[in-house]
Short mmCIF file of all heavy atoms in Angstrom, two decimals:
data_model
loop_
_atom_site.label_atom_id
_atom_site.label_comp_id
_atom_site.label_asym_id
_atom_site.label_seq_id
_atom_site.Cartn_x
_atom_site.Cartn_y
_atom_site.Cartn_z
N GLU A 25 1.42 10.33 1.82
CA GLU A 25 2.54 11.10 1.86
C GLU A 25 3.47 10.70 0.77
O GLU A 25 4.05 11.52 -0.04
CB GLU A 25 3.31 10.93 3.19
CG GLU A 25 4.60 11.66 3.27
CD GLU A 25 5.37 11.43 4.61
OE1 GLU A 25 4.72 10.97 5.56
OE2 GLU A 25 6.60 11.61 4.63
N ILE A 40 18.62 -1.82 -12.28
CA ILE A 40 18.23 -2.94 -12.92
C ILE A 40 17.93 -4.11 -12.00
O ILE A 40 18.75 -4.44 -11.04
CB ILE A 40 19.40 -3.38 -13.98
CG1 ILE A 40 19.48 -2.32 -15.02
CG2 ILE A 40 19.05 -4.77 -14.55
CD1 ILE A 40 20.72 -2.56 -15.90
N ASP A 41 16.77 -4.63 -12.11
CA ASP A 41 16.39 -5.81 -11.38
C ASP A 41 16.79 -7.12 -12.16
O ASP A 41 16.10 -7.50 -13.08
CB ASP A 41 14.92 -5.81 -11.08
CG ASP A 41 14.39 -6.96 -10.21
OD1 ASP A 41 15.24 -7.84 -9.93
OD2 ASP A 41 13.25 -6.93 -9.78
N LYS A 42 17.94 -7.67 -11.78
CA LYS A 42 18.44 -8.80 -12.58
C LYS A 42 17.62 -10.06 -12.60
O LYS A 42 17.74 -10.90 -13.39
CB LYS A 42 19.87 -9.09 -12.12
CG LYS A 42 20.83 -8.04 -12.36
CD LYS A 42 22.29 -8.40 -12.11
CE LYS A 42 23.32 -7.42 -12.23
NZ LYS A 42 23.31 -6.24 -12.84
N THR A 50 19.20 -12.29 -22.28
CA THR A 50 19.78 -12.08 -20.99
C THR A 50 20.29 -10.72 -20.81
O THR A 50 20.70 -10.22 -19.79
CB THR A 50 20.96 -13.03 -20.70
OG1 THR A 50 21.98 -12.80 -21.80
CG2 THR A 50 20.51 -14.45 -20.74
N PHE A 60 10.99 4.96 -16.10
CA PHE A 60 9.60 4.57 -15.85
C PHE A 60 8.73 5.86 -15.90
O PHE A 60 9.04 6.84 -15.33
CB PHE A 60 9.43 3.85 -14.54
CG PHE A 60 10.12 2.57 -14.55
CD1 PHE A 60 11.52 2.44 -14.24
CD2 PHE A 60 9.48 1.37 -14.84
CE1 PHE A 60 12.25 1.29 -14.18
CE2 PHE A 60 10.19 0.09 -14.83
CZ PHE A 60 11.49 0.11 -14.54
N GLN A 77 5.85 1.54 -22.90
CA GLN A 77 4.90 2.38 -22.20
C GLN A 77 3.48 1.74 -22.14
O GLN A 77 2.45 2.50 -22.10
CB GLN A 77 4.83 3.79 -22.81
CG GLN A 77 6.09 4.41 -22.97
CD GLN A 77 6.07 5.73 -23.73
OE1 GLN A 77 5.13 6.40 -23.91
NE2 GLN A 77 7.23 6.05 -24.38
N ILE A 98 14.15 11.44 -12.45
CA ILE A 98 15.21 11.90 -13.35
C ILE A 98 14.78 13.36 -13.79
O ILE A 98 15.64 14.22 -13.69
CB ILE A 98 15.32 11.01 -14.61
CG1 ILE A 98 15.66 9.58 -14.28
CG2 ILE A 98 16.27 11.57 -15.59
CD1 ILE A 98 15.61 8.60 -15.47
N ASP A 102 7.27 18.61 -17.35
CA ASP A 102 6.72 19.96 -17.30
C ASP A 102 7.88 21.00 -17.17
O ASP A 102 7.58 22.21 -17.51
CB ASP A 102 5.76 20.18 -16.11
CG ASP A 102 4.46 19.38 -16.40
OD1 ASP A 102 4.14 19.04 -17.52
OD2 ASP A 102 3.80 19.22 -15.39
N ASP A 103 9.03 20.66 -16.69
CA ASP A 103 10.10 21.59 -16.46
C ASP A 103 11.20 21.59 -17.55
O ASP A 103 12.17 22.33 -17.45
CB ASP A 103 10.79 21.20 -15.12
CG ASP A 103 9.84 21.36 -13.98
OD1 ASP A 103 8.81 22.11 -14.05
OD2 ASP A 103 10.12 20.62 -12.92
N GLU A 108 17.51 19.09 -29.96
CA GLU A 108 18.41 18.25 -30.78
C GLU A 108 19.70 18.08 -29.98
O GLU A 108 20.02 18.85 -29.11
CB GLU A 108 18.69 18.92 -32.13
CG GLU A 108 17.43 19.11 -32.96
CD GLU A 108 16.89 17.77 -33.42
OE1 GLU A 108 17.72 16.82 -33.66
OE2 GLU A 108 15.72 17.60 -33.44
N THR A 111 22.09 21.14 -29.74
CA THR A 111 21.60 22.20 -28.76
C THR A 111 21.89 21.66 -27.39
O THR A 111 22.35 22.48 -26.54
CB THR A 111 20.12 22.45 -28.98
OG1 THR A 111 19.92 22.86 -30.35
CG2 THR A 111 19.62 23.51 -28.01
N ASP A 118 24.16 20.16 -15.41
CA ASP A 118 23.05 20.11 -14.40
C ASP A 118 21.73 20.71 -15.05
O ASP A 118 20.78 20.79 -14.45
CB ASP A 118 23.41 20.73 -13.11
CG ASP A 118 23.92 22.18 -13.20
OD1 ASP A 118 24.25 22.68 -14.27
OD2 ASP A 118 23.82 22.85 -12.08
N GLN A 122 20.00 13.48 -20.88
CA GLN A 122 20.02 12.53 -22.03
C GLN A 122 19.42 11.25 -21.45
O GLN A 122 20.02 10.63 -20.61
CB GLN A 122 21.50 12.32 -22.51
CG GLN A 122 21.56 11.31 -23.59
CD GLN A 122 22.99 11.02 -23.97
OE1 GLN A 122 23.92 11.84 -23.82
NE2 GLN A 122 23.36 9.81 -24.47
N ARG A 130 18.57 3.34 -25.56
CA ARG A 130 19.91 3.88 -25.37
C ARG A 130 20.63 4.15 -26.69
O ARG A 130 21.56 4.96 -26.76
CB ARG A 130 20.71 3.00 -24.51
CG ARG A 130 20.36 3.22 -23.02
CD ARG A 130 20.70 2.01 -22.16
NE ARG A 130 20.37 2.16 -20.74
CZ ARG A 130 19.39 2.82 -20.15
NH1 ARG A 130 18.57 3.52 -20.84
NH2 ARG A 130 19.28 2.79 -18.85
N PHE A 136 16.93 16.62 -23.52
CA PHE A 136 16.18 17.73 -22.84
C PHE A 136 16.97 18.70 -22.18
O PHE A 136 18.05 18.30 -21.69
CB PHE A 136 15.12 17.01 -21.86
CG PHE A 136 14.25 16.06 -22.51
CD1 PHE A 136 14.59 14.63 -22.55
CD2 PHE A 136 12.98 16.36 -22.91
CE1 PHE A 136 13.67 13.72 -23.07
CE2 PHE A 136 12.11 15.37 -23.56
CZ PHE A 136 12.47 14.13 -23.56
N LYS A 138 16.54 22.12 -19.25
CA LYS A 138 15.55 22.79 -18.46
C LYS A 138 14.99 24.01 -19.18
O LYS A 138 15.75 24.73 -19.84
CB LYS A 138 16.22 23.25 -17.18
CG LYS A 138 16.57 22.11 -16.23
CD LYS A 138 17.23 22.61 -15.01
CE LYS A 138 17.64 21.42 -14.07
NZ LYS A 138 18.44 21.95 -12.95
N LYS A 147 30.48 26.25 -23.32
CA LYS A 147 30.11 25.09 -24.19
C LYS A 147 29.80 25.53 -25.58
O LYS A 147 30.09 24.82 -26.50
CB LYS A 147 29.02 24.32 -23.48
CG LYS A 147 29.47 23.57 -22.24
CD LYS A 147 28.36 22.59 -21.71
CE LYS A 147 28.80 21.91 -20.58
NZ LYS A 147 29.50 20.71 -20.79
N ASP A 153 34.06 26.30 -31.90
CA ASP A 153 35.55 26.03 -32.19
C ASP A 153 35.69 24.69 -32.80
O ASP A 153 36.50 24.44 -33.74
CB ASP A 153 36.40 26.28 -30.96
CG ASP A 153 36.47 27.71 -30.46
OD1 ASP A 153 36.11 28.63 -31.37
OD2 ASP A 153 36.86 27.97 -29.41
N SER A 154 34.96 23.72 -32.26
CA SER A 154 35.14 22.35 -32.76
C SER A 154 34.60 22.34 -34.24
O SER A 154 35.27 21.59 -35.11
CB SER A 154 34.29 21.32 -31.93
OG SER A 154 34.83 21.29 -30.68
N GLU A 157 37.21 23.95 -36.48
CA GLU A 157 38.43 22.98 -36.62
C GLU A 157 38.14 21.89 -37.60
O GLU A 157 38.94 21.58 -38.50
CB GLU A 157 38.67 22.49 -35.25
CG GLU A 157 40.06 21.72 -35.21
CD GLU A 157 40.32 21.26 -33.71
OE1 GLU A 157 40.45 22.12 -32.82
OE2 GLU A 157 40.42 20.09 -33.55
N ILE A 173 44.99 15.91 -57.85
CA ILE A 173 44.40 15.68 -59.18
C ILE A 173 45.21 16.48 -60.21
O ILE A 173 45.50 15.90 -61.30
CB ILE A 173 42.97 16.16 -59.07
CG1 ILE A 173 42.13 15.07 -58.18
CG2 ILE A 173 42.30 16.18 -60.49
CD1 ILE A 173 40.72 15.58 -57.86
#
Side-chain angles (χ1 to χ4, degrees):
E25 179 184 340
I40 295 171
D41 183 351
K42 295 190 185 340
T50 57
F60 297 84
Q77 303 170 30
I98 299 171
D102 288 343
D103 298 336
E108 296 296 323
T111 302
D118 57 346
Q122 175 183 335
R130 283 157 175 34
F136 299 91
K138 291 179 182 175
K147 288 188 178 276
D153 289 344
S154 295
E157 194 175 298
I173 292 169

